[in-house]
Amino acid sequence: MTEKVKVEETKAETLVPVLIKEYVDLPWMAILEDSIKHNDRTLLVGHCGIGKTSAIEQFAARENREVRRVNLNGQTTVSDLVGQWIAKDGETVWIDGIIPDSMKKGQYLILDEIDFATPEILAVIHGPLEDNGFMVLAEKDGEVVRPARGHRIFGTANTIGADIEDRGLYQGTNVMNEAFLDRCSTVVKIPWPAQEDEANILLKRVPGLPLSTAVLIVRIANEVREAFEKKEVFTTFSTRKCLQLADKSIRYGSLMEGARVCILNKLGDEDQKIVAGIIQRWSGEKV
Amino acid sequence: MTTPKMEVLEVALLSKDEEEYLIKLDPDTNEVKALHTRKDKTERVFKKGKRSSLFAAMELARQVYNKQLDSGWKSVWINFSKAAEDLYEEEIGKKGGKKKKSPPTKVVKAEPPPPPPPPTLKELLKETPAGLAAISMKELKVAHKQYRKLSEKSS
């Protein structure tokens, strides 16, 4: 579903994300909070499922700000971002793209998976990323769009693009050009949460989850992450996966059965064997 | 006021042929002595030990007695329980209370010990895989049952 379709279907008031009361703030989020306060152009870099987008959404929810998201995964065109002329009732009308629209409405704009964006797309973003950045809609009539009060712009990426190993995991990502990175005044490299923090996230977000199972899942996740660092597996274990596994474990009454549907079946044969072995060793359940 | 001195207690007598072995306990010094009396009636301290408490001294006397039995001596008489009672009465007397016999032992049914507190997050993070799996599997089964109950209710 494209962003434009999403906007048409969604009422404006629902663009404010749902506030998650059980949300656990992690140490790195203090930098994000500070960058929002000072209107920095912020790039969050970290593995998928680590909570980059959800952190921005939760800060927006606390401020009652609307959030627009666009995924720059290669399908996004320049006109999606900037705008385009369309035929309507026998006339041609200009429809703002997501960037000028969010700037005018003072919304938070999240440019997701910015490491997948092509140089042409990144070039479009350069203007709004400048300090006091504005955007010139050359295709329209040269309208200059200035950000309304409260507008913030964020980028998220799995990798900065320079690490060959990471690019193996995130195939299709591009090395970000220096001109783009230079415009991001704050870049946060997000670490995996500390074990205690991650266990607390699971306990707060998954009702009824026993403490021991939360710890068990966190320790499995950490062992898979270590295996990834040692290049023994080509997958890692995100907090999102931990949450999925916690939920499935309660529903199935078995950690291994839960893991089968939300972890193991997503992996290739080799990774599946290794990850299943780790889960078996920690849970005591047979594969 | 000086504390009255307690009497030395004779706690056991053993014999072998015509020899005798008397075990004594001095409650004032917690000293255990064993007097070995020969045919010629000469008496000498054969064993001696001192303990920090009276009960430890009593235990030592009992050990000496058992050792002699193992070495082929025969028990003529023993007075451990009487000695304990005497000591009890002496103690009461020392404190100026009314002398009385030791109260009958009341059999109290032991209450089961309270369950240990559940392990904390920090403790669980240090647990071995097997230990953690054992705890988690039990608790996960209970959580699953509760989940099933709630889902049945809501459906």
Side-chain angles (χ1 to χ4, degrees), chain A residues 15-19 36 53-68 108 110 154:
Chain A
L15 291 176
V16 176
V18 175
L19 181 70
I36 291 172
T53 308
S54 61
I56 299 166
E57 286 177 341
Q58 284 312 298
F59 281 115
R62 290 171 193 176
E63 296 290 318
N64 199 34
R65 286 271 163 207
E66 292 180 342
V67 174
R68 303 285 292 278
Y108 283 11
I110 305 174
F154 307 89

mmCIF file with all atom_site columns, all heavy atoms in Angstrom, chain A residues 15-19 36 53-68 108 110 154:
data_model
loop_
_atom_site.group_PDB
_atom_site.id
_atom_site.type_symbol
_atom_site.label_atom_id
_atom_site.label_alt_id
_atom_site.label_comp_id
_atom_site.label_asym_id
_atom_site.label_entity_id
_atom_site.label_seq_id
_atom_site.pdbx_PDB_ins_code
_atom_site.Cartn_x
_atom_site.Cartn_y
_atom_site.Cartn_z
_atom_site.occupancy
_atom_site.B_iso_or_equiv
_atom_site.pdbx_formal_charge
_atom_site.auth_seq_id
_atom_site.auth_comp_id
_atom_site.auth_asym_id
_atom_site.auth_atom_id
_atom_site.pdbx_PDB_model_num
ATOM 1   N N   . LEU A 1 15  ? -3.455 10.097 12.476 1.00 0.00 ? 15  LEU A N   1
ATOM 2   C CA  . LEU A 1 15  ? -2.032 10.166 12.145 1.00 0.00 ? 15  LEU A CA  1
ATOM 3   C C   . LEU A 1 15  ? -1.164 10.387 13.394 1.00 0.00 ? 15  LEU A C   1
ATOM 4   O O   . LEU A 1 15  ? 0.049  10.277 13.327 1.00 0.00 ? 15  LEU A O   1
ATOM 5   C CB  . LEU A 1 15  ? -1.768 11.278 11.120 1.00 0.00 ? 15  LEU A CB  1
ATOM 6   C CG  . LEU A 1 15  ? -2.318 11.011 9.718  1.00 0.00 ? 15  LEU A CG  1
ATOM 7   C CD1 . LEU A 1 15  ? -2.080 12.206 8.808  1.00 0.00 ? 15  LEU A CD1 1
ATOM 8   C CD2 . LEU A 1 15  ? -1.679 9.778  9.104  1.00 0.00 ? 15  LEU A CD2 1
ATOM 9   N N   . VAL A 1 16  ? -1.806 10.711 14.502 1.00 0.00 ? 16  VAL A N   1
ATOM 10  C CA  . VAL A 1 16  ? -1.058 10.753 15.769 1.00 0.00 ? 16  VAL A CA  1
ATOM 11  C C   . VAL A 1 16  ? -0.943 9.296  16.246 1.00 0.00 ? 16  VAL A C   1
ATOM 12  O O   . VAL A 1 16  ? -1.959 8.626  16.424 1.00 0.00 ? 16  VAL A O   1
ATOM 13  C CB  . VAL A 1 16  ? -1.793 11.593 16.841 1.00 0.00 ? 16  VAL A CB  1
ATOM 14  C CG1 . VAL A 1 16  ? -1.044 11.550 18.163 1.00 0.00 ? 16  VAL A CG1 1
ATOM 15  C CG2 . VAL A 1 16  ? -1.961 13.022 16.369 1.00 0.00 ? 16  VAL A CG2 1
ATOM 16  N N   . PRO A 1 17  ? 0.268  8.799  16.412 1.00 0.00 ? 17  PRO A N   1
ATOM 17  C CA  . PRO A 1 17  ? 0.399  7.384  16.795 1.00 0.00 ? 17  PRO A CA  1
ATOM 18  C C   . PRO A 1 17  ? -0.242 7.091  18.147 1.00 0.00 ? 17  PRO A C   1
ATOM 19  O O   . PRO A 1 17  ? -0.396 7.984  18.983 1.00 0.00 ? 17  PRO A O   1
ATOM 20  C CB  . PRO A 1 17  ? 1.920  7.180  16.876 1.00 0.00 ? 17  PRO A CB  1
ATOM 21  C CG  . PRO A 1 17  ? 2.519  8.312  16.136 1.00 0.00 ? 17  PRO A CG  1
ATOM 22  C CD  . PRO A 1 17  ? 1.570  9.451  16.272 1.00 0.00 ? 17  PRO A CD  1
ATOM 23  N N   . VAL A 1 18  ? -0.599 5.838  18.317 1.00 0.00 ? 18  VAL A N   1
ATOM 24  C CA  . VAL A 1 18  ? -1.200 5.416  19.584 1.00 0.00 ? 18  VAL A CA  1
ATOM 25  C C   . VAL A 1 18  ? -0.105 5.419  20.654 1.00 0.00 ? 18  VAL A C   1
ATOM 26  O O   . VAL A 1 18  ? 0.990  4.887  20.437 1.00 0.00 ? 18  VAL A O   1
ATOM 27  C CB  . VAL A 1 18  ? -1.788 3.985  19.449 1.00 0.00 ? 18  VAL A CB  1
ATOM 28  C CG1 . VAL A 1 18  ? -2.302 3.483  20.791 1.00 0.00 ? 18  VAL A CG1 1
ATOM 29  C CG2 . VAL A 1 18  ? -2.891 3.979  18.408 1.00 0.00 ? 18  VAL A CG2 1
ATOM 30  N N   . LEU A 1 19  ? -0.410 6.049  21.760 1.00 0.00 ? 19  LEU A N   1
ATOM 31  C CA  . LEU A 1 19  ? 0.566  6.111  22.857 1.00 0.00 ? 19  LEU A CA  1
ATOM 32  C C   . LEU A 1 19  ? 0.609  4.748  23.561 1.00 0.00 ? 19  LEU A C   1
ATOM 33  O O   . LEU A 1 19  ? -0.420 4.240  23.998 1.00 0.00 ? 19  LEU A O   1
ATOM 34  C CB  . LEU A 1 19  ? 0.158  7.195  23.858 1.00 0.00 ? 19  LEU A CB  1
ATOM 35  C CG  . LEU A 1 19  ? 1.101  7.386  25.047 1.00 0.00 ? 19  LEU A CG  1
ATOM 36  C CD1 . LEU A 1 19  ? 2.414  8.013  24.614 1.00 0.00 ? 19  LEU A CD1 1
ATOM 37  C CD2 . LEU A 1 19  ? 0.453  8.251  26.118 1.00 0.00 ? 19  LEU A CD2 1
ATOM 38  N N   . ILE A 1 36  ? 15.042 16.063 18.883 1.00 0.00 ? 36  ILE A N   1
ATOM 39  C CA  . ILE A 1 36  ? 13.693 16.550 18.533 1.00 0.00 ? 36  ILE A CA  1
ATOM 40  C C   . ILE A 1 36  ? 13.525 17.965 19.093 1.00 0.00 ? 36  ILE A C   1
ATOM 41  O O   . ILE A 1 36  ? 13.045 18.867 18.415 1.00 0.00 ? 36  ILE A O   1
ATOM 42  C CB  . ILE A 1 36  ? 12.609 15.595 19.089 1.00 0.00 ? 36  ILE A CB  1
ATOM 43  C CG1 . ILE A 1 36  ? 12.645 14.259 18.336 1.00 0.00 ? 36  ILE A CG1 1
ATOM 44  C CG2 . ILE A 1 36  ? 11.221 16.232 18.988 1.00 0.00 ? 36  ILE A CG2 1
ATOM 45  C CD1 . ILE A 1 36  ? 11.752 13.175 18.916 1.00 0.00 ? 36  ILE A CD1 1
ATOM 46  N N   . THR A 1 53  ? 11.806 3.251  14.390 1.00 0.00 ? 53  THR A N   1
ATOM 47  C CA  . THR A 1 53  ? 10.587 3.973  14.018 1.00 0.00 ? 53  THR A CA  1
ATOM 48  C C   . THR A 1 53  ? 9.643  4.105  15.211 1.00 0.00 ? 53  THR A C   1
ATOM 49  O O   . THR A 1 53  ? 9.049  5.162  15.427 1.00 0.00 ? 53  THR A O   1
ATOM 50  C CB  . THR A 1 53  ? 9.886  3.240  12.854 1.00 0.00 ? 53  THR A CB  1
ATOM 51  O OG1 . THR A 1 53  ? 10.843 3.028  11.825 1.00 0.00 ? 53  THR A OG1 1
ATOM 52  C CG2 . THR A 1 53  ? 8.725  4.029  12.323 1.00 0.00 ? 53  THR A CG2 1
ATOM 53  N N   . SER A 1 54  ? 9.533  3.040  15.989 1.00 0.00 ? 54  SER A N   1
ATOM 54  C CA  . SER A 1 54  ? 8.575  3.086  17.112 1.00 0.00 ? 54  SER A CA  1
ATOM 55  C C   . SER A 1 54  ? 8.997  4.123  18.150 1.00 0.00 ? 54  SER A C   1
ATOM 56  O O   . SER A 1 54  ? 8.146  4.748  18.787 1.00 0.00 ? 54  SER A O   1
ATOM 57  C CB  . SER A 1 54  ? 8.409  1.709  17.751 1.00 0.00 ? 54  SER A CB  1
ATOM 58  O OG  . SER A 1 54  ? 9.624  1.261  18.257 1.00 0.00 ? 54  SER A OG  1
ATOM 59  N N   . ALA A 1 55  ? 10.311 4.346  18.287 1.00 0.00 ? 55  ALA A N   1
ATOM 60  C CA  . ALA A 1 55  ? 10.766 5.364  19.250 1.00 0.00 ? 55  ALA A CA  1
ATOM 61  C C   . ALA A 1 55  ? 10.296 6.745  18.795 1.00 0.00 ? 55  ALA A C   1
ATOM 62  O O   . ALA A 1 55  ? 9.772  7.519  19.601 1.00 0.00 ? 55  ALA A O   1
ATOM 63  C CB  . ALA A 1 55  ? 12.283 5.323  19.367 1.00 0.00 ? 55  ALA A CB  1
ATOM 64  N N   . ILE A 1 56  ? 10.464 7.036  17.486 1.00 0.00 ? 56  ILE A N   1
ATOM 65  C CA  . ILE A 1 56  ? 10.015 8.345  16.965 1.00 0.00 ? 56  ILE A CA  1
ATOM 66  C C   . ILE A 1 56  ? 8.504  8.473  17.161 1.00 0.00 ? 56  ILE A C   1
ATOM 67  O O   . ILE A 1 56  ? 7.997  9.506  17.593 1.00 0.00 ? 56  ILE A O   1
ATOM 68  C CB  . ILE A 1 56  ? 10.382 8.481  15.471 1.00 0.00 ? 56  ILE A CB  1
ATOM 69  C CG1 . ILE A 1 56  ? 11.897 8.396  15.273 1.00 0.00 ? 56  ILE A CG1 1
ATOM 70  C CG2 . ILE A 1 56  ? 9.852  9.803  14.903 1.00 0.00 ? 56  ILE A CG2 1
ATOM 71  C CD1 . ILE A 1 56  ? 12.329 8.189  13.816 1.00 0.00 ? 56  ILE A CD1 1
ATOM 72  N N   . GLU A 1 57  ? 7.791  7.399  16.846 1.00 0.00 ? 57  GLU A N   1
ATOM 73  C CA  . GLU A 1 57  ? 6.324  7.434  16.972 1.00 0.00 ? 57  GLU A CA  1
ATOM 74  C C   . GLU A 1 57  ? 5.889  7.694  18.414 1.00 0.00 ? 57  GLU A C   1
ATOM 75  O O   . GLU A 1 57  ? 4.925  8.411  18.660 1.00 0.00 ? 57  GLU A O   1
ATOM 76  C CB  . GLU A 1 57  ? 5.731  6.111  16.472 1.00 0.00 ? 57  GLU A CB  1
ATOM 77  C CG  . GLU A 1 57  ? 5.766  6.011  14.957 1.00 0.00 ? 57  GLU A CG  1
ATOM 78  C CD  . GLU A 1 57  ? 5.256  4.681  14.430 1.00 0.00 ? 57  GLU A CD  1
ATOM 79  O OE1 . GLU A 1 57  ? 5.200  3.697  15.208 1.00 0.00 ? 57  GLU A OE1 1
ATOM 80  O OE2 . GLU A 1 57  ? 4.930  4.622  13.242 1.00 0.00 ? 57  GLU A OE2 1
ATOM 81  N N   . GLN A 1 58  ? 6.608  7.095  19.356 1.00 0.00 ? 58  GLN A N   1
ATOM 82  C CA  . GLN A 1 58  ? 6.204  7.289  20.748 1.00 0.00 ? 58  GLN A CA  1
ATOM 83  C C   . GLN A 1 58  ? 6.479  8.719  21.228 1.00 0.00 ? 58  GLN A C   1
ATOM 84  O O   . GLN A 1 58  ? 5.690  9.275  21.972 1.00 0.00 ? 58  GLN A O   1
ATOM 85  C CB  . GLN A 1 58  ? 6.894  6.266  21.655 1.00 0.00 ? 58  GLN A CB  1
ATOM 86  C CG  . GLN A 1 58  ? 6.279  4.881  21.559 1.00 0.00 ? 58  GLN A CG  1
ATOM 87  C CD  . GLN A 1 58  ? 4.759  4.918  21.653 1.00 0.00 ? 58  GLN A CD  1
ATOM 88  O OE1 . GLN A 1 58  ? 4.196  5.329  22.661 1.00 0.00 ? 58  GLN A OE1 1
ATOM 89  N NE2 . GLN A 1 58  ? 4.076  4.509  20.587 1.00 0.00 ? 58  GLN A NE2 1
ATOM 90  N N   . PHE A 1 59  ? 7.597  9.303  20.752 1.00 0.00 ? 59  PHE A N   1
ATOM 91  C CA  . PHE A 1 59  ? 7.836  10.704 21.113 1.00 0.00 ? 59  PHE A CA  1
ATOM 92  C C   . PHE A 1 59  ? 6.754  11.594 20.484 1.00 0.00 ? 59  PHE A C   1
ATOM 93  O O   . PHE A 1 59  ? 6.297  12.553 21.098 1.00 0.00 ? 59  PHE A O   1
ATOM 94  C CB  . PHE A 1 59  ? 9.238  11.160 20.688 1.00 0.00 ? 59  PHE A CB  1
ATOM 95  C CG  . PHE A 1 59  ? 10.305 10.684 21.645 1.00 0.00 ? 59  PHE A CG  1
ATOM 96  C CD1 . PHE A 1 59  ? 11.272 9.783  21.255 1.00 0.00 ? 59  PHE A CD1 1
ATOM 97  C CD2 . PHE A 1 59  ? 10.322 11.151 22.959 1.00 0.00 ? 59  PHE A CD2 1
ATOM 98  C CE1 . PHE A 1 59  ? 12.245 9.337  22.141 1.00 0.00 ? 59  PHE A CE1 1
ATOM 99  C CE2 . PHE A 1 59  ? 11.296 10.711 23.848 1.00 0.00 ? 59  PHE A CE2 1
ATOM 100 C CZ  . PHE A 1 59  ? 12.257 9.803  23.448 1.00 0.00 ? 59  PHE A CZ  1
ATOM 101 N N   . ALA A 1 60  ? 6.346  11.254 19.264 1.00 0.00 ? 60  ALA A N   1
ATOM 102 C CA  . ALA A 1 60  ? 5.279  12.017 18.592 1.00 0.00 ? 60  ALA A CA  1
ATOM 103 C C   . ALA A 1 60  ? 3.972  11.870 19.369 1.00 0.00 ? 60  ALA A C   1
ATOM 104 O O   . ALA A 1 60  ? 3.254  12.854 19.574 1.00 0.00 ? 60  ALA A O   1
ATOM 105 C CB  . ALA A 1 60  ? 5.108  11.509 17.166 1.00 0.00 ? 60  ALA A CB  1
ATOM 106 N N   . ALA A 1 61  ? 3.689  10.642 19.813 1.00 0.00 ? 61  ALA A N   1
ATOM 107 C CA  . ALA A 1 61  ? 2.439  10.387 20.559 1.00 0.00 ? 61  ALA A CA  1
ATOM 108 C C   . ALA A 1 61  ? 2.422  11.215 21.842 1.00 0.00 ? 61  ALA A C   1
ATOM 109 O O   . ALA A 1 61  ? 1.387  11.773 22.214 1.00 0.00 ? 61  ALA A O   1
ATOM 110 C CB  . ALA A 1 61  ? 2.318  8.902  20.868 1.00 0.00 ? 61  ALA A CB  1
ATOM 111 N N   . ARG A 1 62  ? 3.559  11.322 22.491 1.00 0.00 ? 62  ARG A N   1
ATOM 112 C CA  . ARG A 1 62  ? 3.629  12.086 23.744 1.00 0.00 ? 62  ARG A CA  1
ATOM 113 C C   . ARG A 1 62  ? 3.403  13.582 23.487 1.00 0.00 ? 62  ARG A C   1
ATOM 114 O O   . ARG A 1 62  ? 2.908  14.289 24.343 1.00 0.00 ? 62  ARG A O   1
ATOM 115 C CB  . ARG A 1 62  ? 4.994  11.887 24.411 1.00 0.00 ? 62  ARG A CB  1
ATOM 116 C CG  . ARG A 1 62  ? 5.157  10.467 24.966 1.00 0.00 ? 62  ARG A CG  1
ATOM 117 C CD  . ARG A 1 62  ? 6.578  10.209 25.413 1.00 0.00 ? 62  ARG A CD  1
ATOM 118 N NE  . ARG A 1 62  ? 6.783  8.781  25.633 1.00 0.00 ? 62  ARG A NE  1
ATOM 119 C CZ  . ARG A 1 62  ? 7.952  8.264  25.959 1.00 0.00 ? 62  ARG A CZ  1
ATOM 120 N NH1 . ARG A 1 62  ? 9.001  9.024  26.124 1.00 0.00 ? 62  ARG A NH1 1
ATOM 121 N NH2 . ARG A 1 62  ? 8.064  6.961  26.141 1.00 0.00 ? 62  ARG A NH2 1
ATOM 122 N N   . GLU A 1 63  ? 3.825  14.029 22.282 1.00 0.00 ? 63  GLU A N   1
ATOM 123 C CA  . GLU A 1 63  ? 3.662  15.451 21.927 1.00 0.00 ? 63  GLU A CA  1
ATOM 124 C C   . GLU A 1 63  ? 2.369  15.696 21.162 1.00 0.00 ? 63  GLU A C   1
ATOM 125 O O   . GLU A 1 63  ? 2.121  16.818 20.723 1.00 0.00 ? 63  GLU A O   1
ATOM 126 C CB  . GLU A 1 63  ? 4.851  15.898 21.050 1.00 0.00 ? 63  GLU A CB  1
ATOM 127 C CG  . GLU A 1 63  ? 6.197  15.844 21.750 1.00 0.00 ? 63  GLU A CG  1
ATOM 128 C CD  . GLU A 1 63  ? 6.323  16.899 22.825 1.00 0.00 ? 63  GLU A CD  1
ATOM 129 O OE1 . GLU A 1 63  ? 5.903  18.032 22.599 1.00 0.00 ? 63  GLU A OE1 1
ATOM 130 O OE2 . GLU A 1 63  ? 6.829  16.562 23.911 1.00 0.00 ? 63  GLU A OE2 1
ATOM 131 N N   . ASN A 1 64  ? 1.597  14.630 20.961 1.00 0.00 ? 64  ASN A N   1
ATOM 132 C CA  . ASN A 1 64  ? 0.357  14.701 20.178 1.00 0.00 ? 64  ASN A CA  1
ATOM 133 C C   . ASN A 1 64  ? 0.616  15.222 18.762 1.00 0.00 ? 64  ASN A C   1
ATOM 134 O O   . ASN A 1 64  ? -0.127 16.035 18.233 1.00 0.00 ? 64  ASN A O   1
ATOM 135 C CB  . ASN A 1 64  ? -0.677 15.566 20.902 1.00 0.00 ? 64  ASN A CB  1
ATOM 136 C CG  . ASN A 1 64  ? -2.084 15.290 20.389 1.00 0.00 ? 64  ASN A CG  1
ATOM 137 O OD1 . ASN A 1 64  ? -2.396 14.155 20.023 1.00 0.00 ? 64  ASN A OD1 1
ATOM 138 N ND2 . ASN A 1 64  ? -2.913 16.316 20.338 1.00 0.00 ? 64  ASN A ND2 1
ATOM 139 N N   . ARG A 1 65  ? 1.711  14.761 18.180 1.00 0.00 ? 65  ARG A N   1
ATOM 140 C CA  . ARG A 1 65  ? 2.096  15.168 16.824 1.00 0.00 ? 65  ARG A CA  1
ATOM 141 C C   . ARG A 1 65  ? 1.690  14.103 15.815 1.00 0.00 ? 65  ARG A C   1
ATOM 142 O O   . ARG A 1 65  ? 1.776  12.906 16.113 1.00 0.00 ? 65  ARG A O   1
ATOM 143 C CB  . ARG A 1 65  ? 3.615  15.330 16.727 1.00 0.00 ? 65  ARG A CB  1
ATOM 144 C CG  . ARG A 1 65  ? 4.148  16.532 17.390 1.00 0.00 ? 65  ARG A CG  1
ATOM 145 C CD  . ARG A 1 65  ? 4.165  17.717 16.444 1.00 0.00 ? 65  ARG A CD  1
ATOM 146 N NE  . ARG A 1 65  ? 4.304  18.933 17.222 1.00 0.00 ? 65  ARG A NE  1
ATOM 147 C CZ  . ARG A 1 65  ? 3.863  20.118 16.836 1.00 0.00 ? 65  ARG A CZ  1
ATOM 148 N NH1 . ARG A 1 65  ? 3.238  20.248 15.690 1.00 0.00 ? 65  ARG A NH1 1
ATOM 149 N NH2 . ARG A 1 65  ? 4.033  21.180 17.585 1.00 0.00 ? 65  ARG A NH2 1
ATOM 150 N N   . GLU A 1 66  ? 1.318  14.561 14.648 1.00 0.00 ? 66  GLU A N   1
ATOM 151 C CA  . GLU A 1 66  ? 1.013  13.610 13.576 1.00 0.00 ? 66  GLU A CA  1
ATOM 152 C C   . GLU A 1 66  ? 2.315  13.112 12.958 1.00 0.00 ? 66  GLU A C   1
ATOM 153 O O   . GLU A 1 66  ? 3.294  13.851 12.912 1.00 0.00 ? 66  GLU A O   1
ATOM 154 C CB  . GLU A 1 66  ? 0.156  14.285 12.514 1.00 0.00 ? 66  GLU A CB  1
ATOM 155 C CG  . GLU A 1 66  ? -1.235 14.615 13.026 1.00 0.00 ? 66  GLU A CG  1
ATOM 156 C CD  . GLU A 1 66  ? -2.095 15.285 11.974 1.00 0.00 ? 66  GLU A CD  1
ATOM 157 O OE1 . GLU A 1 66  ? -1.538 15.806 10.987 1.00 0.00 ? 66  GLU A OE1 1
ATOM 158 O OE2 . GLU A 1 66  ? -3.307 15.290 12.149 1.00 0.00 ? 66  GLU A OE2 1
ATOM 159 N N   . VAL A 1 67  ? 2.262  11.878 12.487 1.00 0.00 ? 67  VAL A N   1
ATOM 160 C CA  . VAL A 1 67  ? 3.464  11.282 11.891 1.00 0.00 ? 67  VAL A CA  1
ATOM 161 C C   . VAL A 1 67  ? 3.144  10.776 10.492 1.00 0.00 ? 67  VAL A C   1
ATOM 162 O O   . VAL A 1 67  ? 2.120  10.137 10.269 1.00 0.00 ? 67  VAL A O   1
ATOM 163 C CB  . VAL A 1 67  ? 3.979  10.107 12.761 1.00 0.00 ? 67  VAL A CB  1
ATOM 164 C CG1 . VAL A 1 67  ? 5.141  9.405  12.075 1.00 0.00 ? 67  VAL A CG1 1
ATOM 165 C CG2 . VAL A 1 67  ? 4.417  10.591 14.128 1.00 0.00 ? 67  VAL A CG2 1
ATOM 166 N N   . ARG A 1 68  ? 4.037  11.079 9.565  1.00 0.00 ? 68  ARG A N   1
ATOM 167 C CA  . ARG A 1 68  ? 3.924  10.526 8.212  1.00 0.00 ? 68  ARG A CA  1
ATOM 168 C C   . ARG A 1 68  ? 5.158  9.668  7.983  1.00 0.00 ? 68  ARG A C   1
ATOM 169 O O   . ARG A 1 68  ? 6.251  10.017 8.411  1.00 0.00 ? 68  ARG A O   1
ATOM 170 C CB  . ARG A 1 68  ? 3.890  11.654 7.179  1.00 0.00 ? 68  ARG A CB  1
ATOM 171 C CG  . ARG A 1 68  ? 2.771  12.664 7.386  1.00 0.00 ? 68  ARG A CG  1
ATOM 172 C CD  . ARG A 1 68  ? 1.432  12.110 6.968  1.00 0.00 ? 68  ARG A CD  1
ATOM 173 N NE  . ARG A 1 68  ? 1.351  11.901 5.526  1.00 0.00 ? 68  ARG A NE  1
ATOM 174 C CZ  . ARG A 1 68  ? 1.073  12.866 4.643  1.00 0.00 ? 68  ARG A CZ  1
ATOM 175 N NH1 . ARG A 1 68  ? 0.875  14.102 5.057  1.00 0.00 ? 68  ARG A NH1 1
ATOM 176 N NH2 . ARG A 1 68  ? 0.993  12.596 3.354  1.00 0.00 ? 68  ARG A NH2 1
ATOM 177 N N   . TYR A 1 108 ? 5.613  15.201 11.865 1.00 0.00 ? 108 TYR A N   1
ATOM 178 C CA  . TYR A 1 108 ? 6.895  14.486 11.865 1.00 0.00 ? 108 TYR A CA  1
ATOM 179 C C   . TYR A 1 108 ? 6.930  13.657 10.584 1.00 0.00 ? 108 TYR A C   1
ATOM 180 O O   . TYR A 1 108 ? 5.933  12.992 10.248 1.00 0.00 ? 108 TYR A O   1
ATOM 181 C CB  . TYR A 1 108 ? 6.995  13.504 13.051 1.00 0.00 ? 108 TYR A CB  1
ATOM 182 C CG  . TYR A 1 108 ? 7.291  14.119 14.400 1.00 0.00 ? 108 TYR A CG  1
ATOM 183 C CD1 . TYR A 1 108 ? 7.253  15.495 14.615 1.00 0.00 ? 108 TYR A CD1 1
ATOM 184 C CD2 . TYR A 1 108 ? 7.608  13.299 15.478 1.00 0.00 ? 108 TYR A CD2 1
ATOM 185 C CE1 . TYR A 1 108 ? 7.522  16.033 15.861 1.00 0.00 ? 108 TYR A CE1 1
ATOM 186 C CE2 . TYR A 1 108 ? 7.871  13.829 16.730 1.00 0.00 ? 108 TYR A CE2 1
ATOM 187 C CZ  . TYR A 1 108 ? 7.819  15.202 16.923 1.00 0.00 ? 108 TYR A CZ  1
ATOM 188 O OH  . TYR A 1 108 ? 8.079  15.719 18.159 1.00 0.00 ? 108 TYR A OH  1
ATOM 189 N N   . ILE A 1 110 ? 8.967  10.587 8.738  1.00 0.00 ? 110 ILE A N   1
ATOM 190 C CA  . ILE A 1 110 ? 9.977  9.522  8.886  1.00 0.00 ? 110 ILE A CA  1
ATOM 191 C C   . ILE A 1 110 ? 10.286 8.954  7.504  1.00 0.00 ? 110 ILE A C   1
ATOM 192 O O   . ILE A 1 110 ? 9.398  8.443  6.820  1.00 0.00 ? 110 ILE A O   1
ATOM 193 C CB  . ILE A 1 110 ? 9.486  8.389  9.808  1.00 0.00 ? 110 ILE A CB  1
ATOM 194 C CG1 . ILE A 1 110 ? 9.058  8.946  11.174 1.00 0.00 ? 110 ILE A CG1 1
ATOM 195 C CG2 . ILE A 1 110 ? 10.576 7.332  9.979  1.00 0.00 ? 110 ILE A CG2 1
ATOM 196 C CD1 . ILE A 1 110 ? 8.422  7.903  12.086 1.00 0.00 ? 110 ILE A CD1 1
ATOM 197 N N   . PHE A 1 154 ? 13.091 12.806 10.018 1.00 0.00 ? 154 PHE A N   1
ATOM 198 C CA  . PHE A 1 154 ? 13.958 11.729 10.523 1.00 0.00 ? 154 PHE A CA  1
ATOM 199 C C   . PHE A 1 154 ? 14.261 10.749 9.396  1.00 0.00 ? 154 PHE A C   1
ATOM 200 O O   . PHE A 1 154 ? 13.424 10.536 8.518  1.00 0.00 ? 154 PHE A O   1
ATOM 201 C CB  . PHE A 1 154 ? 13.254 10.920 11.617 1.00 0.00 ? 154 PHE A CB  1
ATOM 202 C CG  . PHE A 1 154 ? 12.705 11.741 12.747 1.00 0.00 ? 154 PHE A CG  1
ATOM 203 C CD1 . PHE A 1 154 ? 11.416 12.254 12.687 1.00 0.00 ? 154 PHE A CD1 1
ATOM 204 C CD2 . PHE A 1 154 ? 13.465 11.992 13.878 1.00 0.00 ? 154 PHE A CD2 1
ATOM 205 C CE1 . PHE A 1 154 ? 10.890 13.007 13.721 1.00 0.00 ? 154 PHE A CE1 1
ATOM 206 C CE2 . PHE A 1 154 ? 12.946 12.749 14.918 1.00 0.00 ? 154 PHE A CE2 1
ATOM 207 C CZ  . PHE A 1 154 ? 11.655 13.259 14.849 1.00 0.00 ? 154 PHE A CZ  1
#
